[in-house]
Amino acid sequence: MIKKCLYPAAGYGTRFLPATKAMPKEMLPILTKPLIQYGVEEAVAAGIKTMAVITGRGKRAIEDHFDISYELEHQIKGGSKENLLNEIRSLITQCTFSYTRQVEMKGLGHAILTGETLIGNEAFAVLLADDLCTSQNDSVLKQMIEVYEKYQCSVVAIEEVPPDQTDKYGIISGNLVDSTTDTYRVTDMVEKPDPKDAPTNMAIIGRYILTPDIFNILRKTKPGKGGEIQITDALLEQAKEGKVIAYKFKGKRFDCGSIDGFVEATNYFYKKGI
Ligand code: UTP
């Protein structure tokens, strides 16, 4: 059973400056909903109710979003706009949200390690809110939890990316273990390889199920690509023991950390109707 989801949200979001100068990237809206709300909805659809957010300076809007705004609620009570808060209110009622700050931005691996106090000694989900996922049936996290329940080890969601874009992702290689569910046992992984050095075009997207031994591994992980502590390097330690499964998820992902992906997601949800 996966009960907790960790949201690393401490990054600077430099690709969206100046919008992200005083506002977290995770609060950028696709239509009327901030990215992180989509992420929380995905986790709730997977049966998760305990949300743990890694924040940093300038990220307080995330905490305010997942809290009641008495003044606003009072203002719109009884009017036609009251129902606009239904979805967020339902999340606030169903879930608990805890926050801790990553004081120095030392990379995604370091952000996840900062979450140890909120997670404890149990397997947990990690969701990067700027990767917005949508699927027809089960949410991507729900699909991954099923894979975790079968293999009882860490699980990463993957998708095939154009070969010239491998330098934007963690790239895996692995052996197919189940063709019906598109699952691979990971044998190698490398962070943002140059296309000419990439072993495959199978890229890790912002969804993980991690077993708690990852924290001890992360404590020992040295800064890697870009001088940051990389989750990919820590996962490679688990992969060497055969303990990482890569799962080609069913659904669609938008890289909302990039302008192109953000616009694509906006158009997609606009056409679909929210
Ligand atoms: P990104 O690589 O997208 O970096 O981080 P970023 O700072 O958010 O955005 P750009 O590249 O400057 O535009 C991937 C995820 O890891 C989190 C980010 O918040 C994002 O969800 N992260 C990254 C942290 O929480 N802490 C870090 O030190 C680094």
Side-chain angles (χ1 to χ4, degrees):
M1 205 31 201
I2 300 291
K3 299 195 296 277
K4 296 181 181 171
C5 185
L6 187 70
Y7 299 83
Y12 292 117
T14 52
R15 282 169 290 173
F16 273 92
L17 284 171
T20 47
K21 183 165 176 265
M23 180 183 103
K25 170 170 81 172
E26 295 72 17
M27 287 301 293
L28 290 173
I30 298 295
L31 306 188
T32 56
K33 246 195 277 185
L35 287 169
I36 194 155
Q37 186 174 335
Y38 286 93
V40 169
E41 285 173 357
E42 182 183 329
V44 168
I48 297 174
K49 299 282 167 66
T50 306
M51 312 301 169
V53 189
I54 306 301
T55 64
R57 282 174 292 280
K59 301 275 184 171
R60 203 165 288 163
I62 298 176
E63 294 180 43
D64 290 339
H65 187 68
F66 294 107
D67 194 1
I68 289 178
S69 167
Y70 285 104
E71 206 179 310
L72 175 67
E73 305 232 353
H74 178 73
Q75 273 295 327
I76 63 177
K77 199 172 167 52
S80 60
K81 292 186 181 147
E82 193 177 11
N83 64 344
L84 298 178
L85 289 179
N86 284 354
E87 281 176 316
I88 181 69
R89 229 188 257 129
S90 149
L91 294 180
I92 295 167
T93 319
Q94 289 181 69
C95 307
T96 62
F97 294 85
S98 319
Y99 301 86
T100 193
R101 277 193 182 202
Q102 186 188 13
V103 176
E104 285 178 278
M105 308 321 160
K106 293 190 196 165
L108 176 57
H110 181 259
I112 292 173
L113 180 57
T114 306
E116 184 179 16
T117 45
L118 302 177
I119 298 295
N121 190 24
E122 60 187 277
F124 60 104
V126 174
L127 189 151
L128 304 186
D130 51 354
D131 263 345
L132 174 51
C133 290
T134 169
S135 54
Q136 281 207 315
N137 299 313
D138 289 347
S139 76
V140 174
L141 269 190
K142 184 157 195 277
Q143 297 169 35
M144 292 176 73
I145 289 172
E146 271 168 34
V147 175
Y148 168 77
E149 277 164 1
K150 180 162 177 202
Y151 294 97
Q152 297 288 320
C153 67
S154 290
V155 180
V156 294
I158 53 164
E159 79 174 13
E160 292 195 38
V161 295
D164 63 346
Q165 287 184 22
T166 56
D167 54 357
K168 293 187 187 153
Y169 299 91
I171 298 290
I172 67 118
S173 31
N175 301 319
L176 189 65
V177 285
D178 185 347
S179 58
T180 51
T181 54
D182 263 342
T183 42
Y184 298 78
R185 193 160 306 265
V186 176
T187 51
D188 197 11
M189 43 201 344
V190 41
E191 181 64 17
K192 301 194 172 86
D194 203 80
K196 66 176 183 342
D197 305 322
T200 69
N201 66 337
M202 293 198 285
I204 304 175
I205 64 137
R207 299 288 181 279
Y208 309 77
I209 305 287
L210 300 176
T211 52
D213 55 310
I214 200 75
F215 294 127
N216 273 336
I217 301 173
L218 278 168
R219 250 185 286 283
K220 294 182 206 134
T221 303
K222 301 258 174 326
K225 192 101 184 182
E228 296 192 331
I229 296 172
Q230 300 289 355
I231 187 63
T232 314
D233 293 338
L235 277 165
L236 180 58
E237 294 304 307
Q238 292 186 329
K240 283 181 191 158
E241 318 243 285
K243 290 185 177 154
V244 181
I245 293 288
Y247 166 64
K248 228 183 251 180
F249 68 96
K250 313 236 165 347
K252 199 165 167 48
R253 174 197 69 111
F254 299 95
D255 172 13
C256 294
S258 76
I259 292 169
D260 286 349
F262 188 88
V263 172
E264 206 190 320
T266 303
N267 289 333
Y268 175 88
F269 282 94
Y270 183 67
K271 280 190 197 127
K272 190 172 160 225
I274 210 163

